[in-house]
Amino acid sequence: MKIITTVAEMKAQVAEWKAEGLTIGLTPTMGALHEGHMSLMERAVKECDRVVTSVFVNPIQFGPNEDYDNYPRDLEHDAAIAESKGVNVVFHPEPEEMYPKNYNTYVVMETLTDTLCGAKRPGHFRGVCTVVNKLFNIVQPDKAFFGQKDAQQLAIIKRMVAEEDGLAKSSRNSYLSAEERKAALCLSRSIFAAQDLIEGGERNADIVRTAVREIIEAEPLAQIDYIEVVDLGNMQPVDSLGESGLVAIAVYIGKTRLIDNYLFDFDE
Ligand code: PAF
């Protein structure tokens, strides 16, 4: 396993892998690796030909009175864990490598960020979105793996990725014609609608299902397999929403079956 510290070297490694036709998985972390990270690395190693784990304590996602300086840092420990899980590269840049002097470009998500941690930690998600975007640009992963515990972060990153492409990334997307790809955007549109309703306080699961259904049904090439709102604990459909849950949909676009979902956990 290699430890890479510069963006240039990381990009060169990625280019080499891409030239060989290998798929790349990314597990972004701030180090202090624990069991949650380990299971993400295991999945990444199983699902991708090469895996990069970034270990970067991202200064711009910490507020002025937060624990940036004291955040645990132990590269030796993290590298040993990553190596034991079969990771190929630990990407460990210095802050100046990611944010050169006078750095001034940020990624801001305008929705989903004004409640929960977004409300309590102003600027936090701007920092997260910016660094995740940079990591995606550098590593160009086919798949990226994030923990579900931080549900707000996950929802924001999923939305950021979906808005970049408009279509939740899936290897099945390559089966779609151009017309079908356009039609498939109804999945992410319907999931955003569900997310907006739930974030706005809607607790009636039928209202959420109906909103999703109406968006999908308006697309002539789409055929619904299922639209569900379920409890996270037992995956059973619910009538009214609690503090956590999952909106999950499966839709055929032509012959291709696509899935998308919105997972929320306001208890976190
Ligand atoms: O969840 C984390 O550890 C961080 O927010 C992330 C996604 C690695 C970005 O710095």
Side-chain angles (χ1 to χ4, degrees):
M1 191 194 71
K2 272 195 213 168
I3 296 180
I4 291 182
T5 58
T6 66
V7 171
E9 198 190 338
M10 190 66 249
K11 282 186 166 171
Q13 177 64 82
V14 165
E16 216 175 275
W17 286 337
K18 296 256 175 205
E20 289 173 50
L22 300 171
T23 59
I24 302 176
L26 171 66
T27 52
T29 82
M30 297 209 299
L33 300 183
H34 53 65
E35 295 202 336
H37 296 117
M38 289 185 216
S39 70
L40 296 177
M41 289 177 202
E42 279 165 13
R43 266 195 60 198
V45 166
K46 211 181 276 175
E47 294 180 25
C48 304
D49 298 323
R50 295 290 180 270
V51 173
V52 176
T53 292
S54 58
V55 172
F56 179 61
V57 185
N58 177 31
I60 67 166
Q61 70 185 72
F62 289 80
N65 299 318
E66 295 183 356
D67 57 344
Y68 174 68
D69 288 337
N70 298 326
Y71 198 87
R73 292 165 171 84
D74 187 347
L75 183 63
E76 218 174 290
H77 161 268
D78 292 339
I81 288 184
E83 183 156 31
S84 77
K85 292 292 156 198
V87 165
N88 302 92
V89 165
V90 164
F91 179 48
H92 178 59
E94 289 298 320
E96 306 73 46
E97 182 71 11
M98 293 293 271
Y99 305 113
K101 200 162 171 269
N102 298 329
Y103 184 88
N104 215 0
T105 305
Y106 300 92
V107 177
V108 177
M109 168 69 64
E110 297 277 354
T111 56
L112 309 179
T113 51
D114 57 349
T115 56
L116 308 171
C117 290
K120 295 283 178 197
R121 304 181 66 187
H124 171 66
F125 286 119
R126 179 181 89 142
V128 171
C129 288
T130 301
V131 79
V132 169
N133 231 282
K134 285 172 78 71
L135 289 168
F136 284 176
N137 282 332
I138 297 164
V139 177
Q140 311 218 351
D142 296 276
K143 291 186 178 180
F145 299 80
F146 294 86
Q148 300 212 334
K149 196 173 76 79
D150 194 340
Q152 189 178 19
Q153 170 172 284
L154 186 61
I156 289 167
I157 291 170
K158 280 179 76 172
R159 184 146 181 173
M160 183 177 83
V161 171
E163 284 179 353
E164 273 175 9
D165 186 61
L167 183 54
K169 300 266 187 289
S170 158
S171 36
R172 294 207 175 89
N173 291 348
S174 54
Y175 303 153
L176 299 174
S177 68
E179 191 193 6
E180 287 172 338
R181 255 182 101 74
K182 218 163 137 219
L185 297 180
C186 69
L187 276 89
S188 55
R189 267 204 315 277
S190 73
I191 286 292
F192 292 154
Q195 192 169 352
D196 288 344
L197 276 173
I198 294 167
E199 299 275 346
E202 183 56 65
R203 287 293 169 267
N204 182 324
D206 260 346
I207 291 182
V208 175
R209 283 189 200 97
T210 303
V212 172
R213 178 173 300 279
E214 280 173 358
I215 292 172
I216 307 277
E217 282 180 348
E219 173 48 63
L221 293 183
Q223 203 179 342
I224 294 167
D225 189 13
Y226 65 75
I227 294 171
E228 264 318 338
V229 181
V230 299
D231 181 283
L232 268 187
N234 57 17
M235 292 287 143
Q236 293 301 312
V238 292
D239 293 330
S240 75
L241 300 168
E243 288 307 289
S244 65
L246 176 74
V247 180
I249 63 175
V251 174
Y252 283 93
I253 301 291
K255 290 199 168 75
T256 307
R257 185 173 178 277
L258 296 172
I259 56 172
D260 204 346
N261 69 72
Y262 164 55
L263 183 147
F264 60 96
D265 189 349
F266 300 128
D267 273 339
E268 282 294 328

